[in-house]
Amino acid sequence: MTSSIFDHTGPHPEPSTLVAFAENHLDRQSEHRADDCLEVAFKTEGVHAYAFSSGGIIVKHDEQVVDPLFAPYELAGLDPVLDDSILLGFDRNGAPHMAVPVQIAPENLPEPFKVATVRSLYQQRMVPDSLLGEVAQASSLLSWNAANRFCGKCGAPTIAKGGGYRRICSACDHQMFPRTDPVVIMLTIDLERDLCLLGRGAHFPEGMYSCLAGFLEPGETVENAVRRETLEESGIRVGRVRYHASQPWPMPHTLMIGCFAEAQSREITRDAQELEDCRWFTRAETAEMLERATGVGTDGTLTVSPPKGAIAHRLMRDWLEWGN
Amino acid sequence: MTSSIFDHTGPHPEPSTLVAFAENHLDRQSEHRADDCLEVAFKTEGVHAYAFSSGGIIVKHDEQVVDPLFAPYELAGLDPVLDDSILLGFDRNGAPHMAVPVQIAPENLPEPFKVATVRSLYQQRMVPDSLLGEVAQASSLLSWNAANRFCGKCGAPTIAKGGGYRRICSACDHQMFPRTDPVVIMLTIDLERDLCLLGRGAHFPEGMYSCLAGFLEPGETVENAVRRETLEESGIRVGRVRYHASQPWPMPHTLMIGCFAEAQSREITRDAQELEDCRWFTRAETAEMLERATGVGTDGTLTVSPPKGAIAHRLMRDWLEWGN
């Protein structure tokens, strides 16, 4: 039956819709932009902007509400660099949403403005999901533009075009497009013993264990990258690999590709450069870790999963929920 | 049942193994490389190299055999730039495989050397699959290194490290890693009418139609990129999306992410900037196009699919074979 191509067997029809940073309703129109699109956008009725300083994203923090999207009059007081702005796209009403670097020092920010990290907005679930997706897009594009001010081929200054969706060299005409780095992240499962493999990096919060992950290298399929990374970091050989979900991850501009991986060996040989610990967890232990991540956390003596919204959290939970 | 996570429902357990450039048995060890790894590799017994000139990859063309992998004495006559070489990894015997830019002009190449494009090696199936994967890796890494000779942050020259798997700025210490650009490529299917959606770009060979495709943008999931690209290029709205296979594509350093997409509308509105034509095809028409692609080709009056080994070919064939 043809329709079976789209039949899903897991607990959710599209798990990629259940991770942080995934929702974004802007119409980007990134390939059909005039040279003056920034200038026009800033003059369009309803234009709003995200403001980023060197310390992070600036938000208005009023009582229980955190608002990251500013009208032009609010932006004006933050010393914006309009020439380095990005046109993210247009909302349902046709109003442009922008990303704007600002130069104001954090200590000079008037009330109720504060600086936050993109990571904290997601961890503390402080802004609506649809705005969080725009924040991810904004942060990724500002990072990429800032890292490509000069041409990699000849060293001359580059010029932003298409509202920050392209850069062109002022000397050799070399064109550059925003980069997105694919990372494979996998929950490796021992089917026979009904265990999953998790590790922790030295920089993780206390007690946290997560899925293994690593950058896909040039010349690799997704499935082979999952096998190589799992073998390198844990010594575990992987057989079958199943794609599960993807997630935009704006630190700085990554595409997380989440997979389940079938373990073909049991003995862990940890890469000490990458991981502080790596071990097998039962379903019961995994369920407790997920529960702690949505609750009050731990004192560091108990294990905990990454927070809800992280694709690793999704992989762990969906392993438990599979078939239920 | 836990094991159902890895049960496959399509015609192949891992379709990513059936596309060109996917096979590669080198042990890259890309994260554990000493500063002198290039120098050591060139002195290691059994070292072999791929040679790339500005016109393409150099091969030895003897009667029916095409050999792209050279011993040091063969490389020496081609005016190699050893400092810009890449350590790809190590074969089963521990012999290093390298990628080396060479400066010899094509017209000065002695017999039996010839210049070929990476694309022609794949289209004409001239080298074994496992070497083709190494050629893809080599070509991607040489392209990336050549495009990052200067720092994007400050414009100063960069220095290759780790055998070409990293570059560092000589002035500001900014580190750069090889980039791989995710592209979504999708066969969009009208389940009710049992048709698939194909288009042709103006640069395609005569008569060829293929899956729609486009770069994933920062801040997108794979599934949302499939929906956006399909809508932009064809005007067709997509509902469910199913990941099928991935492929490394070395022009210059892309990861093709192949999906099936479920059409939710029928009326095509073609993006004339991207596509010369776009239309629905029956199963019978699709089967004929695939047949022609593996045979003698067409005179341009008949439609043809991309060649075997292309992920678009795989998506078309696996749609037809699904459930058989």
Side-chain angles (χ1 to χ4, degrees), chain B residues 138-194:
Chain B
S139 178
S140 297
L141 284 159
L142 286 172
S143 295
W144 174 77
N145 274 276
N148 288 276
R149 298 191 162 281
F150 296 87
C151 175
K153 285 198 169 175
C154 78
T158 60
I159 301 156
K161 295 279 182 184
Y165 261 80
R166 193 160 50 95
R167 297 189 76 89
I168 188 162
C169 177
S170 57
C172 77
D173 286 343
H174 175 49
Q175 281 201 71
M176 285 143 274
F177 295 91
R179 84 181 259 179
T180 310
D181 300 313
V183 161
V184 291
I185 178 164
M186 47 272 166
L187 187 67
T188 298
I189 297 165
D190 179 332
L191 288 177
E192 219 169 290
R193 296 185 297 165
D194 209 16

Side-chain angles (χ1 to χ4, degrees), chain A residues 232-249:
Chain A
E232 283 177 6
E233 294 196 354
S234 69
I236 298 297
R237 291 194 312 277
V238 162
R240 290 179 288 182
V241 173
R242 178 190 180 131
Y243 168 84
H244 187 58
S246 58
Q247 178 182 36
W249 190 248

Side-chain angles (χ1 to χ4, degrees), chain B residues 16-84:
Chain B
S16 300
T17 60
L18 303 174
V19 295
F21 303 120
E23 198 179 328
N24 189 326
H25 300 289
L26 293 181
D27 181 4
R28 289 180 176 82
Q29 300 183 10
S30 52
E31 287 179 24
H32 301 287
R33 292 174 166 205
D35 279 345
D36 62 348
C37 67
L38 271 188
E39 202 181 328
V40 171
F42 276 119
K43 289 178 187 160
T44 303
E45 172 140 359
V47 61
H48 274 75
Y50 298 93
F52 287 79
S53 76
S54 59
I57 183 168
I58 295 179
V59 296
K60 277 183 298 182
H61 208 305
D62 278 325
E63 312 241 331
Q64 296 305 313
V65 184
V66 169
D67 185 1
L69 201 48
F70 304 154
Y73 76 90
E74 298 172 301
L75 190 66
L78 303 175
D79 200 359
V81 187
L82 297 183
D83 283 350
D84 289 342

Side-chain angles (χ1 to χ4, degrees), chain B residues 16-324:
Chain B
S16 300
T17 60
L18 303 174
V19 295
F21 303 120
E23 198 179 328
N24 189 326
H25 300 289
L26 293 181
D27 181 4
R28 289 180 176 82
Q29 300 183 10
S30 52
E31 287 179 24
H32 301 287
R33 292 174 166 205
D35 279 345
D36 62 348
C37 67
L38 271 188
E39 202 181 328
V40 171
F42 276 119
K43 289 178 187 160
T44 303
E45 172 140 359
V47 61
H48 274 75
Y50 298 93
F52 287 79
S53 76
S54 59
I57 183 168
I58 295 179
V59 296
K60 277 183 298 182
H61 208 305
D62 278 325
E63 312 241 331
Q64 296 305 313
V65 184
V66 169
D67 185 1
L69 201 48
F70 304 154
Y73 76 90
E74 298 172 301
L75 190 66
L78 303 175
D79 200 359
V81 187
L82 297 183
D83 283 350
D84 289 342
S85 298
I86 315 282
L87 171 58
L88 300 174
F90 303 88
D91 70 13
R92 282 156 219 241
N93 304 316
H97 285 201
M98 321 295 293
V100 182
V102 298
Q103 293 182 310
I104 190 168
E107 60 272 23
N108 296 335
L109 275 174
E111 282 291 330
F113 294 102
K114 289 209 167 77
V115 181
T117 63
V118 171
R119 193 183 286 270
S120 71
L121 289 196
Y122 130 73
Q123 283 173 337
Q124 295 166 34
R125 318 193 72 198
M126 289 158 74
V127 299
D129 285 346
S130 61
L131 296 194
L132 200 56
E134 297 180 18
V135 167
Q137 183 192 354
S139 178
S140 297
L141 284 159
L142 286 172
S143 295
W144 174 77
N145 274 276
N148 288 276
R149 298 191 162 281
F150 296 87
C151 175
K153 285 198 169 175
C154 78
T158 60
I159 301 156
K161 295 279 182 184
Y165 261 80
R166 193 160 50 95
R167 297 189 76 89
I168 188 162
C169 177
S170 57
C172 77
D173 286 343
H174 175 49
Q175 281 201 71
M176 285 143 274
F177 295 91
R179 84 181 259 179
T180 310
D181 300 313
V183 161
V184 291
I185 178 164
M186 47 272 166
L187 187 67
T188 298
I189 297 165
D190 179 332
L191 288 177
E192 219 169 290
R193 296 185 297 165
D194 209 16
L195 302 173
C196 74
L197 182 72
L198 301 171
R200 57 170 282 113
H203 62 287
F204 280 20
E206 265 192 282
M208 184 187 287
Y209 280 75
S210 185
C211 297
L212 306 189
F215 287 99
L216 182 138
E217 293 186 358
E220 270 185 331
T221 63
V222 167
E223 292 80 0
N224 284 341
V226 165
R227 294 193 191 97
R228 178 187 50 76
E229 278 290 340
T230 307
L231 186 66
E232 282 177 6
E233 294 196 353
S234 70
I236 298 297
R237 290 194 313 276
V238 162
R240 289 179 289 182
V241 173
R242 180 191 178 128
Y243 169 84
H244 187 58
S246 59
Q247 178 182 37
W249 190 248
M251 292 89 166
H253 32 58
T254 296
L255 172 70
M256 306 296 283
I257 302 177
C259 296
F260 292 109
E262 181 192 24
Q264 288 189 326
S265 65
R266 296 177 171 191
E267 193 70 43
I268 294 169
T269 310
R270 175 173 56 90
D271 177 348
Q273 276 186 39
E274 292 281 332
L275 297 175
E276 191 180 89
D277 191 19
C278 182
R279 47 185 161 114
W280 295 104
F281 288 80
T282 66
R283 279 178 182 263
E285 287 168 336
T286 307
E288 283 166 16
M289 293 165 72
L290 291 164
E291 191 55 41
R292 284 182 205 117
T294 56
V296 291
T298 87
D299 61 1
T301 62
L302 295 173
T303 54
V304 63
S305 77
K308 198 175 164 177
I311 195 167
H313 187 107
R314 195 75 254 153
L315 286 164
M316 291 164 73
R317 189 172 289 282
D318 287 352
W319 171 53
L320 297 181
E321 288 182 5
W322 210 277
N324 286 352

Side-chain angles (χ1 to χ4, degrees), chain A residues 65-86:
Chain A
V65 184
V66 169
D67 185 0
L69 201 48
F70 303 155
Y73 77 90
E74 298 171 300
L75 190 65
L78 304 175
D79 201 1
V81 187
L82 297 183
D83 283 350
D84 289 340
S85 299
I86 315 282

